[in-house]
Amino acid sequence: MEPGSVENLSIVYQSRDFLVVNKHWDVRIDSKLWRETLTLQKQLRHRFPELADPDTYYGFRFCHQLDFSTSGALCVALNKAAAGSAYRCFKERRVTKAYLALVRGYIQESRMTISYAIGRNSTEGRTHTMCIEGTQGCENPKPSLTELVVLEHGLYAGDPVSKVLLQPLTGRTHQLRVHCSALSHPIVGDLTYGQASGREDQPFRMMLHALYLRIPTEAECVEACTPDPFVPTLDACWSPHTLVQPLDQLVQVLRAAHDPKPTEGGPGPCSPSMCLPGPGRPPPPPASPTETEAQRASCLQWLSEWTLELDN
């Protein structure tokens, strides 16, 4: 696989107000540390020096986050007004995200909803990690929902794995990684939540990728679908043998999904009303336009976590 470099920046959507990049794995979005010689911010400055905003610390306004090990779609606002419009979409819960992952073992159910509450781990030596409610040292667990659809079964370096599509319906830190680990199907290459005994040191990356992103601002619908990196032609260690659900069909469902109007409440942070349909399951109906004060407060809490913490 091609390593990350300042010149190696893939753009999957570009307009006057927004960019969507296909972030390389093991690249930070930004950093104040001198030793971080490669960041997405530096890649953007190299490719688009004329677009850097001197009024911002890093030169670019990142609308959301992807953590260091995750690749895929990430939106950049090119001016303050565009950033505000994207912020409102997150606030009104109208953003759609979907991820691809390779996880350990064969998941037998073709589709499932994962609902473990997630909190911070207070255990000594693990305070940088998250954990599920009920485990030792789990503090302040919050409701969390992830939709999972199995795409393929196969082998990775000879070990059984499943390729899945994940849609986070909440934005907790490391949510997808924690939820997959809680199922006893950790993401391949996840050094933090994966299998012990050094097994996850062998894959060249963590197999989590932000596939699809839609931010329906009032001026434009920012929509991008990045290429699938988990195919045998790009990684010879991955050998699929059983197709469960075609990825193209699920992407079509995502593209055709209803976007709530700005005046609508949209799906709440713990509502499955925008979840992915599985085999034989029809798309869900549009969400109710009503919104309570409790839902609004919950939305603001979710938004603060989504935009200020590393997700997934």
Side-chain angles (χ1 to χ4, degrees):
M1 299 293 289
E2 186 177 1
S5 67
V6 172
E7 295 81 12
N8 183 16
L9 177 64
S10 173
I11 306 298
V12 292
Y13 179 94
Q14 183 172 1
S15 69
R16 183 183 64 180
D17 293 328
F18 293 98
L19 292 172
V20 178
V21 304
N22 185 8
K23 188 184 86 68
H24 201 277
W25 73 90
D26 288 2
V27 170
R28 299 190 190 282
I29 293 176
D30 45 47
S31 176
K32 296 180 181 180
L33 301 178
W34 63 268
R35 65 177 179 270
E36 293 287 352
T37 58
L38 178 63
T39 64
L40 179 56
Q41 175 265 142
K42 291 180 180 179
Q43 290 179 311
L44 287 167
R45 279 188 177 273
H46 179 80
R47 174 76 71 86
F48 303 105
E50 73 283 1
L51 297 181
D53 188 339
D55 293 333
T56 64
Y57 185 88
Y58 293 110
F60 294 89
R61 294 179 171 90
F62 300 105
C63 299
H64 55 109
Q65 298 281 322
L66 289 179
D67 70 11
F68 170 74
S69 302
T70 305
S71 61
L74 190 143
C75 184
V76 182
L78 299 180
N79 54 68
K80 189 174 182 179
S85 66
Y87 171 87
R88 285 189 291 272
C89 287
F90 280 99
K91 179 181 178 181
E92 294 163 358
R93 305 178 303 282
R94 294 186 290 124
V95 175
T96 302
K97 285 185 170 186
Y99 293 73
L100 287 174
L102 297 182
V103 301
R104 296 287 181 186
Y106 294 148
I107 300 178
Q108 298 305 313
E109 297 181 52
S110 61
R111 179 196 163 274
M112 66 175 65
T113 299
I114 312 169
S115 57
Y116 296 107
I118 295 176
R120 291 198 173 276
N121 196 336
S122 63
T123 305
E124 184 177 357
R126 299 283 296 177
T127 55
H128 65 292
T129 67
M130 309 298 288
C131 52
I132 62 170
E133 185 175 20
T135 57
Q136 184 176 2
C138 190
E139 293 185 347
N140 194 25
K142 299 176 182 178
S144 309
L145 278 183
T146 300
E147 287 290 324
L148 180 151
V149 178
V150 177
L151 303 173
E152 293 177 294
H153 291 150
L155 300 175
Y156 191 87
D159 296 323
V161 300
S162 300
K163 182 175 180 178
V164 298
L165 187 67
L166 302 165
Q167 186 175 10
L169 302 182
T170 50
R172 310 304 178 204
T173 301
H174 298 171
Q175 175 176 318
L176 302 182
R177 299 165 64 183
V178 173
H179 271 175
C180 288
S181 180
L183 292 177
S184 298
H185 294 287
I187 295 174
V188 174
D190 190 338
L191 298 175
T192 302
Y193 302 102
Q195 297 182 344
S197 303
R199 188 178 185 185
E200 301 304 348
D201 292 334
Q202 299 175 11
F204 67 93
R205 61 162 292 183
M206 183 177 72
M207 304 300 173
L208 179 63
H209 176 78
L211 175 76
Y212 179 84
L213 174 68
R214 184 172 70 243
I215 307 176
T217 71
E218 294 181 12
E220 66 181 286
C221 181
V222 180
E223 184 178 41
C225 189
T226 59
D228 176 1
F230 306 139
V231 293
T233 53
L234 296 178
D235 187 354
C237 290
W238 166 231
S239 177
H241 57 61
T242 303
L243 177 65
V244 179
Q245 176 81 357
L247 176 60
D248 290 347
Q249 291 184 7
L250 293 176
V251 172
Q252 291 175 11
V253 171
L254 289 169
R255 291 186 181 278
H258 166 72
D259 282 325
K261 297 179 181 179
T263 55
E264 294 182 353
C270 290
S271 167
S273 59
M274 289 295 288
C275 61
L276 288 166
R281 180 181 182 187
S288 167
T290 60
E291 181 181 41
T292 66
E293 288 301 318
Q295 288 173 329
R296 184 176 298 277
S298 181
C299 164
L300 294 177
Q301 174 66 27
W302 165 81
L303 176 65
S304 67
E305 294 174 359
W306 185 286
T307 57
L308 297 180
E309 297 178 348
L310 299 179
D311 69 353
N312 310 307

